Amino acid sequence: MKEVTKDVSKNFRNVLKSRGNGLVVFTTPELDKNDTITLKDQSEKVFIYLGESTPDAVNYIIDYDIEQDSDLNGGADDDENNKGTSSYVSGSVVEIPMSPYKTQVVRAYITDESGAILGSQDITIIKEYIEEQNIDPDMIIFEDVTESEKEKIESLKELLMVLPQQQRLKSLSYIQKLQENWNDSTEKTRTILDFEDYIFELNLPNENEIITLLESLLVEGQDDQSNNQITYQALVNLIPKEIVCPTES
């Protein structure tokens, strides 16, 4: 495995701040007073060194992006992305891969032999060379919907707007797709099911509220809105309306 070597900035303000919990973080480029690194050009790279932390540290862990669940365990902010590298066991210099988003929050933390966290620190990377991605929920306008459906969709938007940037953008993209496929029952149902899968991945504390709103759109206006009816309606919607059989020539 290729070893990363890079000089890092020994910011002694950060050493003093971190010393209380045993974690010492050095970076290149250097952190500002808000624990932020600003990159002006795509060619710039970010390196982190944890090797001067407390001797009690056994593992030196870095989550490259706390909004991305890399290990698919349902938690986005507990990944061990540098596991399997020398930096994980020694705190040596590691290069942080850049996400495609303007803002990326990296978490560095150290653990002892029992796995207990001795100290942690979040580092915000702002990439000025990336334009802020944004989806305006007010511009996602559903036509041919009932007042009840409109209220549910607006409630969904409100719940999604408080999510972290990446999760918010992806969730709103599902709302966009739902709007585009609203009058196609098959594609509308597929979009809702795909959206539900994504919500379950996020392991949100209010996932049941979001899922309930989504599934209620499948049985809007029906007397029976039980789970059995929702499942039945989804299956009906997914059956192709026309089946074209090839003819022998």
Side-chain angles (χ1 to χ4, degrees), residues 27-54:
T27 67
T28 292
E30 186 173 318
L31 293 173
D32 66 14
K33 63 181 181 180
N34 297 315
D35 291 338
T36 298
I37 294 173
T38 301
L39 304 179
K40 298 183 180 299
D41 188 87
Q42 190 170 1
S43 63
E44 293 182 90
K45 299 181 183 298
V46 174
F47 298 88
I48 294 179
Y49 170 61
L50 308 178
E52 295 190 32
S53 300
T54 174

Side-chain angles (χ1 to χ4, degrees), residues 123-164:
I123 298 166
T124 301
I125 302 171
I126 298 176
K127 305 153 201 167
E128 291 188 343
Y129 55 86
I130 294 179
E131 291 187 14
E132 189 75 68
Q133 292 178 286
N134 187 43
I135 298 176
D136 184 354
D138 292 334
M139 298 303 293
I140 309 175
I141 300 172
F142 285 72
E143 298 178 352
D144 302 323
V145 295
T146 65
E147 281 302 313
S148 175
E149 288 171 326
K150 183 177 179 181
E151 288 177 6
K152 291 173 181 177
I153 292 166
E154 291 305 314
S155 295
L156 266 174
K157 291 180 184 179
E158 290 177 8
L159 292 171
L160 301 178
M161 286 304 294
V162 300
L163 296 177

Side-chain angles (χ1 to χ4, degrees), residues 79-142:
D79 295 334
E80 300 181 350
N81 294 128
N82 65 323
K83 192 171 186 177
T85 71
S86 61
S87 67
Y88 185 81
V89 294
S90 68
S92 59
V93 177
V94 61
E95 180 181 348
I96 306 301
M98 292 296 101
S99 75
Y101 299 95
K102 185 178 183 69
T103 301
Q104 177 175 345
V105 180
V106 176
R107 176 164 297 165
Y109 57 106
I110 51 176
T111 59
D112 62 14
E113 287 185 353
S114 70
I117 296 176
L118 301 175
S120 69
Q121 182 174 343
D122 289 353
I123 298 166
T124 301
I125 302 171
I126 298 176
K127 305 153 201 167
E128 291 188 343
Y129 55 86
I130 294 179
E131 291 187 14
E132 189 75 68
Q133 292 178 286
N134 187 43
I135 298 176
D136 184 354
D138 292 334
M139 298 303 293
I140 309 175
I141 300 172
F142 285 72

Side-chain angles (χ1 to χ4, degrees), residues 136-195:
D136 184 354
D138 292 334
M139 298 303 293
I140 309 175
I141 300 172
F142 285 72
E143 298 178 352
D144 302 323
V145 295
T146 65
E147 281 302 313
S148 175
E149 288 171 326
K150 183 177 179 181
E151 288 177 6
K152 291 173 181 177
I153 292 166
E154 291 305 314
S155 295
L156 266 174
K157 291 180 184 179
E158 290 177 8
L159 292 171
L160 301 178
M161 286 304 294
V162 300
L163 296 177
Q165 179 195 33
Q166 294 181 31
Q167 297 175 6
R168 182 177 68 251
L169 286 173
K170 188 164 183 178
S171 296
L172 287 175
S173 72
Y174 278 110
I175 297 295
Q176 280 185 325
K177 190 173 181 181
L178 184 61
Q179 182 265 333
E180 293 166 1
N181 295 322
W182 187 256
N183 294 316
D184 184 327
S185 60
T186 300
E187 291 304 316
K188 172 183 173 181
T189 302
R190 284 177 180 157
T191 301
I192 289 175
L193 295 178
D194 289 344
F195 194 3

